[in-house]
Amino acid sequence: MRRSGSTRRRGRTGRLVATGVACGAALAALTVPAAEAQPLGHGTVHWAEKDSGTPQVRYRGLAAVDRDTAWLAGTAGTVLRTTDGGTSWRNVSPPGAAALEFRDVEAFDARHAVVLAIGEGEASRIYRTDDGGATWTESFRNTDAKAFYDCLAFSDRRHGLAMSDPVDGRFRILSTSDGGRSWRVLPADGMPAALDGEAGFAASGQCLVTSGPKDVWLATGGGAHARVLHSADRGRTWTATDTPIPAGDPARGVFALAFRDRAHGLAVGGDYRPGRSSPQAAAVTSDGGRTWRLAATPPPAYRSGAAWLPHSRRAALAVGPTGTDLTTDGGRSWRTIDTGSYDTVDCTPDLSCWAAGEQGRVARLEN
């Protein structure tokens, strides 16, 4: 489940910053202050690439269950699952979905998962499996030509939401209370009006995130301001706050959110166009998204995904097409620790982090 709070170089294994302190889990080495960390390439913690066998697929949907189990969702209707830490991958794509673009997957365990296909009109669909992808049930198909669904998020095994770009001037929210087996559109009267040109980004499955049983955050761009919308009642009512991440263009804004609890969150984004600068690509909040402040030392370029390291109050990762960045001070400063291309990242309570992206690229953090 995407609960915040808790790809250009095939064959390359990028080295991440680490300490020399021996530890049973790879992530423990990354949570020390930056001054105590060794330079890039001198540690033992690294993104270890796993051969997905699908170099033609770009994976923007990732659900890490634990160190052994992860799900991927990508282009050409592709869904993969591993239960052996990425040594092997099983193609569990829904039948007849080859024309769809899967951009988000939320997994409860090795057998139960929900995937979202994006696009205008009926291209936006949701599927659920209860048998590890052996069979799928289509539980939602969008019939409104004005809707375009971007992201999914679950707060527990039953309650989840999906978000669409604005319809009739307001973001549209789908809700499920039975684990994604059925969905209903929530009333729009609790949603603030969208800005002109405002939308979400289906870049990493992290434009909609949850923390705890009822808190949900939604990231936007494209409008005059890049905003974060927050709901404290599972999507019924929302408040909107401007962030300092630049917008004002369809290619700029907040692309991903990560909350480690209902107060402390990160926002990353920028301008996704290759070669465009993104000098203010990260912001941080400590009041649940009511206010945001720019990172003093942001990532050097556009970032599309973010995740807090497990059981850490200060360490998090951000990923994008030009690299991975680490913060060890709660998002105030970031430093690049790998130059491989990844679109999304997800970490699990058993001290495991996974990343995925273009050209079938998937990796797990290892020591």
Side-chain angles (χ1 to χ4, degrees):
M1 288 177 285
R2 182 75 63 188
R3 289 194 290 178
S4 306
S6 15
T7 2
R8 287 176 169 77
R9 298 172 179 83
R10 292 289 296 170
R12 177 186 177 281
T13 299
R15 292 285 169 180
L16 293 186
V17 180
T19 68
V21 179
C23 59
L27 291 181
L30 290 179
T31 60
V32 298
E36 300 176 22
Q38 297 178 3
L40 178 64
H42 289 75
T44 60
V45 181
H46 63 281
W47 283 128
E49 288 194 29
K50 310 295 182 179
D51 185 5
S52 71
T54 54
Q56 74 283 7
V57 178
R58 186 168 195 163
Y59 294 108
R60 294 183 184 272
L62 166 65
V65 176
D66 53 38
R67 125 169 236 96
D68 295 320
T69 303
W71 298 69
L72 300 173
T75 54
T78 307
V79 179
L80 300 187
R81 185 194 63 154
T82 183
T83 56
D84 57 12
T87 301
S88 63
W89 293 86
R90 181 180 178 185
N91 189 326
V92 295
S93 306
L100 300 179
E101 294 279 334
F102 288 126
R103 293 292 181 93
D104 201 355
V105 55
E106 304 295 320
F108 308 109
D109 51 41
R111 294 182 60 80
H112 302 86
V114 180
V115 295
L116 170 73
I118 68 158
E120 296 178 349
E122 292 192 2
S124 285
R125 305 179 194 180
I126 299 174
Y127 295 80
R128 178 184 165 103
T129 182
D130 295 311
D131 53 15
T135 62
W136 294 86
T137 300
E138 182 183 305
S139 58
F140 172 77
R141 182 180 297 206
N142 174 48
T143 58
D144 190 332
K146 294 178 289 186
F148 186 116
Y149 286 85
D150 298 296
C151 291
L152 284 170
F154 278 80
S155 55
D156 55 43
R157 296 178 73 97
R158 294 173 51 221
H159 298 94
L161 301 174
M163 60 148 298
S164 164
D165 289 340
V167 176
D168 298 328
R170 300 177 191 273
F171 284 93
R172 175 169 289 180
I173 303 296
L174 281 181
S175 175
T176 181
S177 58
D178 56 13
R181 294 177 179 87
S182 65
W183 298 84
R184 65 185 181 93
V185 175
L186 293 181
D189 53 2
M191 177 67 71
L195 303 177
D196 184 34
E198 190 175 27
F201 292 108
S204 61
Q206 295 175 318
C207 60
L208 184 73
V209 300
T210 67
S211 181
K214 295 185 178 181
D215 285 278
V216 190
W217 294 265
L218 184 162
T220 83
H225 306 281
R227 302 197 296 174
V228 172
L229 281 64
H230 172 239
S231 172
D233 54 11
R234 288 193 184 133
R236 292 176 179 83
T237 60
W238 298 79
T239 57
T241 302
D242 292 349
T243 76
I245 294 178
D249 184 281
R252 294 203 302 255
V254 178
F255 282 71
L257 299 169
F259 276 78
R260 66 173 173 81
D261 54 37
R262 66 191 307 257
H264 299 87
L266 307 169
V268 300
D271 189 323
Y272 73 78
R273 292 170 292 191
R276 297 296 184 99
S277 64
S278 296
Q280 299 171 315
V284 62
T285 182
S286 58
D287 57 12
R290 288 190 292 274
T291 60
W292 293 85
R293 61 187 182 278
L294 281 172
T297 306
Y302 156 71
R303 294 296 181 251
S304 55
W308 289 92
L309 271 64
H311 314 300
S312 174
R313 297 175 61 85
R314 298 169 61 84
L317 296 170
V319 300
T322 62
T324 299
D325 303 293
L326 171 72
T327 179
T328 55
D329 58 10
R332 290 186 291 276
S333 63
W334 297 82
R335 56 201 172 97
T336 302
I337 54 176
D338 182 84
T339 56
S341 175
Y342 295 103
D343 292 313
T344 186
V345 60
D346 196 16
C347 297
T348 66
D350 71 341
L351 296 175
S352 176
C353 283
W354 296 75
E358 62 185 338
Q359 298 180 347
R361 204 156 185 250
V362 57
R364 189 183 67 182
L365 204 62
E366 297 182 0
N367 60 0

